[in-house]
Amino acid sequence: MEIGRPFNPFGLFIGSFIPNVIMKDRNISSTSKLCWARLAQYAGKDGKCYPSQETLAEELGISKMQVIRILDELEKV
């Protein structure tokens, strides 16, 4: 994976997976990395996904407000 280029794991695996380049990034919190992995599972071939904030909160066991903060963090990275 090239730095600065989006990683789209569509069809590569079943389950949550966090690539090493994301895992090692100190600018991304642990919870955000977990959320990224869940979003990657939802992503289609185009890399886009649209789960609701409520769905992410339920699946990650966190509040909707935490999801909102995490999504903001991920958009800034």
Side-chain angles (χ1 to χ4, degrees):
M1 178 162 77
E2 296 176 39
I3 294 181
R5 192 166 168 209
F7 173 68
N8 183 3
F10 181 77
L12 296 179
F13 61 89
I14 297 174
S16 295
F17 174 78
I18 303 172
N20 286 338
V21 68
I22 292 173
M23 187 68 74
K24 293 178 181 181
D25 192 325
R26 294 177 184 246
N27 297 310
I28 305 172
S29 69
S30 298
T31 308
S32 293
K33 292 172 185 177
L34 182 61
C35 186
W36 182 93
R38 189 64 188 114
L39 289 169
Q41 285 184 275
Y42 278 108
K45 288 182 181 181
D46 62 1
K48 296 178 182 178
C49 60
Y50 304 97
S52 71
Q53 294 168 347
E54 291 83 4
T55 296
L56 289 172
E58 183 179 321
E59 292 179 350
L60 298 174
I62 59 177
S63 71
K64 181 180 172 184
M65 283 307 300
Q66 285 176 288
V67 169
I68 292 168
R69 285 191 293 271
I70 286 167
L71 293 175
D72 184 55
E73 177 184 342
L74 290 171
E75 287 176 358
K76 291 177 181 175
V77 176

